[in-house]
Amino acid sequence: MLITVISIALLSCAIIVLVVYNFIVRKRIKTLADTNQKINSLNVLQDFMNIVGSDNTVDYKLQQINEKLREKFDIKYSTIVIYNGAEYEIKATNVEERHWQTMKSLQDLSIFKESIVRATPKYITVERDTESLPYQTEEIGRAKSAIFFPLYIDNVYIGYWIIESGVKHGFDQLNLSLLEIVKNNIIVVVKTISYQTTMESIVRKDLFTGINSAEFLYGEGKLKLDKFISSQICMFKIANLEEVNNTYNRHTGNNMVVTVSRIVRDTLLPEHIFVRYMGPKFVIVFIGEKQDEVTRFIQKLKVNVESADVEVISKKKKPEDEEKIFVKPRINFVISTYYKGTGVERISKKLEQYLDMASETENDINYL
């Protein structure tokens, strides 16, 4: 009898010890898991900064960020939606395109409206595998749980980030505090690259010449430039354009602009960048090339352009046998070296100032 009591007591003690040990182990595992998530969060922040500093377009950067989030936190689906001033636009997602219309309309659903108003995340999940999430119609089975994060910049709602899991209660163990930090990092990234977005969106085609406007230099142009240590930037001015406008008329001046830009465009290689900077001034960017190479190219180009005949256009109807009048362009070039990572706008301003200060009779190839 005594042996039985002692055995029971020892067994009870062993059970208690195992329970306590199990509790300690589980606590340590949770601590390690939280630590691992915190490390992941820090790594994600560093990855974000690396992506933002890369030579890529804004859309590509956001897509890279989205993929990094999925990789670090083992998320099945992740979608970033931003309001562009006119409509909600999916900036990054790995969801199939047939679901995009649904994914960029979530702000209209009542289930997320309170989340947007309160600026707090909304976690939703199904309880049975046969159920679907409220925003799903023909996509039953794709996602069984989701967390919706509204995005704000300076208290202004700009869109949302939503992550989805293929299983019910898929995010129960995910640290929401860490995801809040990640969400804030997404906001910082969107805010940081907003200037680049603006530069990319305002690029337009010049009315007369059909080439890109100067804004192209500061967006896509700079991305191409910074793939090389140094490049050459050449700005030229049609030095006698104002004289032609005053002597004849603006129609003849426009014809000169079109003629000059066509000759230059047809002479350049596909890898060169050619933009109309402003008025009579144009810019040619020779990516990764040396000054000697560019000088030889410009010398030939100058001869071709200044040999061109530009017809004087009259508003009055001329007799068919009347002799046509032609004028020739006079071009002033200035070249400077661009170094990777420096400001394109600064060097272009320096070139512009030189041409504006130069005599109207000057038509040469200059170096700064």
Side-chain angles (χ1 to χ4, degrees):
M1 181 68 178
L2 180 60
I3 294 175
T4 302
V5 172
I6 292 173
S7 298
I8 292 173
L10 289 173
L11 184 59
S12 298
C13 289
I15 292 172
I16 293 171
V17 169
L18 288 172
V19 169
V20 172
Y21 177 75
N22 185 54
F23 175 77
I24 294 172
V25 169
R26 288 179 63 185
K27 190 173 182 181
R28 286 181 178 175
I29 290 173
K30 186 177 185 307
T31 301
L32 287 172
D34 288 344
T35 302
N36 185 56
Q37 285 193 358
K38 289 177 181 177
I39 292 173
N40 264 344
S41 181
L42 291 174
N43 289 340
V44 166
L45 179 57
Q46 181 59 53
D47 290 336
F48 278 12
M49 295 304 100
N50 292 339
I51 291 170
V52 170
S54 65
D55 295 335
N56 292 298
T57 64
V58 169
D59 287 347
Y60 186 74
K61 287 178 181 179
L62 285 173
Q63 192 64 47
Q64 281 187 309
I65 285 171
N66 203 48
E67 289 304 309
K68 190 62 64 176
L69 289 171
R70 293 182 56 247
E71 173 192 326
K72 292 290 185 180
F73 294 97
D74 194 24
I75 297 171
K76 186 171 184 180
Y77 300 109
S78 178
T79 302
I80 299 173
V81 178
I82 302 295
Y83 184 64
N84 63 15
E87 61 181 356
Y88 285 89
E89 179 182 10
I90 291 180
K91 304 302 290 185
T93 188
N94 65 310
V95 174
E96 292 181 19
E97 189 172 354
R98 60 194 178 95
H99 301 310
W100 285 7
Q101 188 58 47
T102 297
M103 298 307 296
K104 67 179 183 179
S105 306
L106 300 184
Q107 75 284 340
D108 297 328
L109 301 181
S110 57
I111 192 170
F112 295 126
K113 284 185 177 179
E114 184 179 357
S115 172
I116 294 172
V117 171
R118 295 180 177 273
T120 55
K122 177 70 174 181
Y123 181 20
I124 56 176
T125 184
V126 300
E127 296 300 334
R128 292 187 296 272
D129 289 334
T130 54
E131 296 177 340
S132 60
L133 296 176
Y135 59 86
Q136 295 177 324
T137 53
E138 300 176 358
E139 46 186 333
I140 296 175
R142 183 180 68 81
K144 295 299 183 182
S145 53
I147 307 180
F148 177 94
F149 296 90
L151 304 178
Y152 281 79
I153 291 181
D154 299 330
N155 296 321
V156 176
Y157 175 65
I158 62 160
Y160 52 88
W161 169 44
I162 182 169
I163 58 176
E164 300 171 287
S165 170
V167 297
K168 57 186 179 183
H169 294 280
F171 298 121
D172 286 4
Q173 304 304 316
L174 204 57
N175 190 320
L176 280 178
S177 298
L178 289 178
L179 286 180
E180 276 288 316
I181 295 173
V182 172
K183 179 205 73 173
N184 291 333
N185 290 334
I186 292 175
I187 293 171
V188 170
V189 170
V190 171
K191 191 173 182 180
T192 301
I193 58 183
S194 61
Y195 174 73
Q196 183 183 345
T197 305
T198 302
M199 294 311 303
E200 290 176 1
S201 62
I202 63 176
V203 173
R204 64 192 187 284
K205 295 288 185 180
D206 178 65
L207 178 63
F208 291 107
T209 63
I211 61 177
N212 287 320
S213 61
E215 289 79 12
F216 184 86
L217 289 176
Y218 314 126
E220 188 174 339
K222 182 169 173 57
L223 295 180
K224 293 180 178 180
L225 273 168
D226 285 345
K227 292 179 180 179
F228 295 84
I229 298 298
S230 65
S231 301
Q232 303 301 313
I233 296 184
C234 170
M235 183 179 290
F236 70 84
K237 178 180 180 180
I238 305 176
N240 61 334
L241 182 62
E242 186 175 352
E243 177 187 333
V244 168
N245 284 337
N246 293 334
T247 303
Y248 301 102
N249 50 57
R250 191 166 292 276
H251 295 285
T252 302
N254 290 340
N255 191 27
M256 178 171 282
V257 168
V258 171
T259 301
V260 169
S261 62
R262 175 181 51 77
I263 294 172
V264 175
R265 185 182 60 229
D266 292 347
T267 306
L268 295 176
L269 300 175
E271 58 266 28
H272 295 150
I273 296 174
F274 182 39
V275 302
R276 186 174 186 183
Y277 187 77
M278 187 182 298
K281 294 184 283 288
F282 296 77
V283 170
I284 308 172
V285 178
F286 299 88
I287 299 175
E289 297 187 34
K290 303 299 181 184
Q291 194 174 85
D292 291 345
E293 302 170 342
V294 172
T295 298
R296 289 192 292 270
F297 184 93
I298 293 298
Q299 287 172 340
K300 294 178 181 178
L301 177 63
K302 180 175 171 61
V303 172
N304 290 338
V305 172
E306 294 187 333
S307 299
D309 288 323
V310 177
E311 184 181 352
V312 173
I313 298 175
S314 175
K315 290 184 178 180
K316 299 178 181 179
K317 190 174 181 180
K318 295 181 179 181
E320 292 184 5
D321 58 345
E322 184 175 333
E323 187 177 351
K324 294 181 180 180
I325 303 173
F326 296 92
V327 292
K328 293 185 182 295
R330 192 170 64 248
I331 311 297
N332 200 18
F333 290 87
V334 59
I335 304 170
S336 187
T337 301
Y338 169 85
Y339 294 98
K340 179 179 179 178
T342 57
V344 179
E345 68 284 353
R346 292 182 180 180
I347 193 170
S348 59
K349 191 66 178 177
K350 182 174 68 172
L351 298 174
E352 180 185 22
Q353 288 173 345
Y354 176 87
L355 290 176
D356 286 344
M357 295 295 292
S359 169
E360 293 295 329
T361 60
E362 179 181 311
N363 62 317
D364 206 345
I365 300 175
N366 309 279
Y367 305 91
L368 295 182

